[in-house]
Amino acid sequence: MENNLYSKNNVKEMLRSRDLHFKKSLGQNFLTDESVLSDIVDAAEITKDDYVLEIGPGPGVLTRQLAKNAGRVVAVELDRDILGLLMENISEYDNVEIINKDILKVDLEELSREYFDSKPFKVIANLPYYITTPIVMKLLESKTEIESIVIMIQKEVADRLTAAPGTKDFGAISLSVNYYADAKIVRLVPPEAFVPAPKVFSAVLKLSVLKKPRVNVRDEAFLFKLIKASFSKRRKTFLNAISGESGISVTKEEAKQMLEELGFSNNLRGETLSLVEFAQISDFLHEKLCEKTR
């Protein structure tokens, strides 16, 4: 008989009986709301043909849902202490593999080869708030066949990842995500859906990974240097932010002339530029700088 993981009291008792504790250092907030779990599985469109990588399974409440719906599930859990409870709660499923590692130290290409035969797979995760961005970018930048990523994250972070140019939440991370994927907030999740309850609202976010980056640029690294520079000094104009910046090597006068040639105002700010516009400026600047060195 399955343990009832939808009951906060049951989850607390299961931990207490094993002398386990919620670890703030790992950002542990376990989801117990069945409707949210169903929405996560539905958003990921999990079928028996799918391979799934789950990050941070905890006691296994979502893992069980995935095991029922997916062909194979690989769950990466950092907390060694909770592994016994996790294995107990998924013991009746033979399509789940558990890896006790830090996802940031996992070689995703190697994992894909070993467990998924390098075939497309989907990612589902309930991410600690303090480490959301590094994990998301590791997934998006990996050379694996990730189809989609459905994650539970802090609402404020979800707002930044999905923000449009000109809005208060728009930043370098918004552009980075947009470069690799279509991002959509599936639903909001109140604090009481977790045990222990966090102090903020969460959101289920779906990233539909693109087959190729949204824009084609001459030099991807240069594009992201440009983006990073323009948002590192938000109070400055784009022109002032990139002038003399390390890795860009353009004077203010050169940058001003280039922007004028492209038809952009000298007073524009990076937070108003779309990814396509950043790509346009990046290619133009890169070509001009290459001409200087010939």
Side-chain angles (χ1 to χ4, degrees), residues 148-167:
S148 63
I149 303 167
V150 177
I151 50 176
M152 174 80 71
I153 56 178
Q154 185 176 348
K155 179 185 177 297
E156 288 183 7
V157 178
D159 288 339
R160 289 201 294 272
L161 298 188
T162 57
T167 61

Side-chain angles (χ1 to χ4, degrees), residues 254-269:
E254 288 172 330
K256 181 178 179 181
Q257 181 181 349
M258 293 177 198
L259 287 177
E260 288 175 351
E261 287 185 48
L262 283 171
F264 287 104
S265 166
N266 291 329
N267 295 319
L268 71 84
R269 296 182 182 276

Side-chain angles (χ1 to χ4, degrees), residues 137-251:
M137 293 313 301
K138 177 184 175 79
L139 293 168
L140 291 176
E141 292 172 351
S142 75
K143 303 303 179 183
T144 56
E145 293 289 326
I146 297 177
E147 293 182 287
S148 63
I149 303 167
V150 177
I151 50 176
M152 174 80 71
I153 56 178
Q154 185 176 348
K155 179 185 177 297
E156 288 183 7
V157 178
D159 288 339
R160 289 201 294 272
L161 298 188
T162 57
T167 61
K168 67 180 180 64
D169 294 314
F170 187 65
I173 188 61
S174 316
L175 288 158
S176 297
V177 168
N178 189 238
Y179 181 78
Y180 292 105
D182 290 323
K184 174 187 176 184
I185 294 177
V186 175
R187 64 166 290 172
L188 300 183
V189 183
E192 55 267 26
F194 301 87
V195 57
K199 296 180 180 179
V200 296
F201 265 73
S202 301
V204 176
L205 178 72
K206 180 173 183 178
L207 303 175
S208 299
V209 182
L210 303 172
K211 293 294 183 183
K212 59 181 181 179
R214 192 175 303 279
V215 293
N216 182 28
V217 289
R218 297 175 185 272
D219 188 321
E220 185 179 281
F222 186 78
L223 168 67
F224 284 107
K225 284 178 183 176
L226 203 63
I227 290 172
K228 183 179 179 181
S230 68
F231 284 96
S232 64
K233 305 166 184 174
R234 289 188 74 114
R235 293 189 177 184
K236 292 189 175 183
T237 63
F238 178 78
L239 182 65
N240 288 330
I242 68 168
S243 299
E245 188 69 18
S246 175
I248 297 176
S249 304
V250 62
T251 66

Side-chain angles (χ1 to χ4, degrees), residues 2-289:
E2 288 188 346
N3 290 326
N4 180 6
L5 297 178
Y6 304 131
S7 164
K8 292 182 176 63
N9 288 335
N10 278 7
V11 172
K12 289 177 181 178
E13 177 56 29
M14 277 187 282
L15 293 174
R16 188 199 64 76
S17 65
R18 293 164 177 79
D19 197 27
L20 299 175
H21 308 278
F22 299 107
K23 296 180 179 177
K24 289 185 178 181
S25 62
L26 298 181
Q28 286 183 338
N29 300 94
F30 299 139
L31 184 63
T32 59
D33 189 313
E34 189 172 4
S35 72
V36 179
L37 292 162
S38 296
D39 286 346
I40 290 172
V41 175
D42 289 345
E45 301 178 87
I46 302 296
T47 73
K48 284 297 182 182
D49 294 325
D50 287 323
Y51 294 129
V52 176
L53 168 62
E54 183 189 10
I55 302 171
V61 58
L62 180 54
T63 316
R64 289 201 311 211
Q65 293 288 337
L66 296 174
K68 292 174 184 177
N69 290 276
R72 189 172 199 186
V73 179
V74 174
V76 178
E77 174 58 58
L78 175 60
D79 185 5
R80 180 181 295 275
D81 295 335
I82 208 168
L83 293 182
L85 178 58
L86 172 59
M87 287 188 284
E88 176 185 321
N89 286 327
I90 62 168
S91 59
E92 67 181 278
Y93 303 101
D94 60 6
N95 60 339
V96 181
E97 298 282 348
I98 298 172
I99 299 175
N100 178 214
K101 285 186 179 180
D102 180 346
I103 189 62
L104 288 175
K105 297 178 181 178
V106 170
D107 184 327
L108 291 176
E109 292 181 56
E110 183 179 311
L111 181 148
S112 175
R113 282 193 302 270
E114 182 175 352
Y115 295 100
F116 304 145
D117 297 322
S118 297
K119 294 177 181 177
F121 63 97
K122 297 177 178 179
V123 179
I124 293 183
N126 181 11
L127 298 182
Y129 295 157
Y130 71 94
I131 204 167
T132 295
T133 298
I135 293 177
V136 168
M137 293 313 301
K138 177 184 175 79
L139 293 168
L140 291 176
E141 292 172 351
S142 75
K143 303 303 179 183
T144 56
E145 293 289 326
I146 297 177
E147 293 182 287
S148 63
I149 303 167
V150 177
I151 50 176
M152 174 80 71
I153 56 178
Q154 185 176 348
K155 179 185 177 297
E156 288 183 7
V157 178
D159 288 339
R160 289 201 294 272
L161 298 188
T162 57
T167 61
K168 67 180 180 64
D169 294 314
F170 187 65
I173 188 61
S174 316
L175 288 158
S176 297
V177 168
N178 189 238
Y179 181 78
Y180 292 105
D182 290 323
K184 174 187 176 184
I185 294 177
V186 175
R187 64 166 290 172
L188 300 183
V189 183
E192 55 267 26
F194 301 87
V195 57
K199 296 180 180 179
V200 296
F201 265 73
S202 301
V204 176
L205 178 72
K206 180 173 183 178
L207 303 175
S208 299
V209 182
L210 303 172
K211 293 294 183 183
K212 59 181 181 179
R214 192 175 303 279
V215 293
N216 182 28
V217 289
R218 297 175 185 272
D219 188 321
E220 185 179 281
F222 186 78
L223 168 67
F224 284 107
K225 284 178 183 176
L226 203 63
I227 290 172
K228 183 179 179 181
S230 68
F231 284 96
S232 64
K233 305 166 184 174
R234 289 188 74 114
R235 293 189 177 184
K236 292 189 175 183
T237 63
F238 178 78
L239 182 65
N240 288 330
I242 68 168
S243 299
E245 188 69 18
S246 175
I248 297 176
S249 304
V250 62
T251 66
K252 186 173 181 179
E253 283 306 311
E254 288 172 330
K256 181 178 179 181
Q257 181 181 349
M258 293 177 198
L259 287 177
E260 288 175 351
E261 287 185 48
L262 283 171
F264 287 104
S265 166
N266 291 329
N267 295 319
L268 71 84
R269 296 182 182 276
E271 62 213 53
T272 66
L273 291 169
S274 68
L275 180 62
V276 171
E277 290 171 325
F278 264 108
Q280 183 183 4
I281 294 171
S282 174
D283 277 354
F284 193 83
L285 282 176
H286 187 265
E287 178 62 24
K288 291 291 185 182
L289 292 174

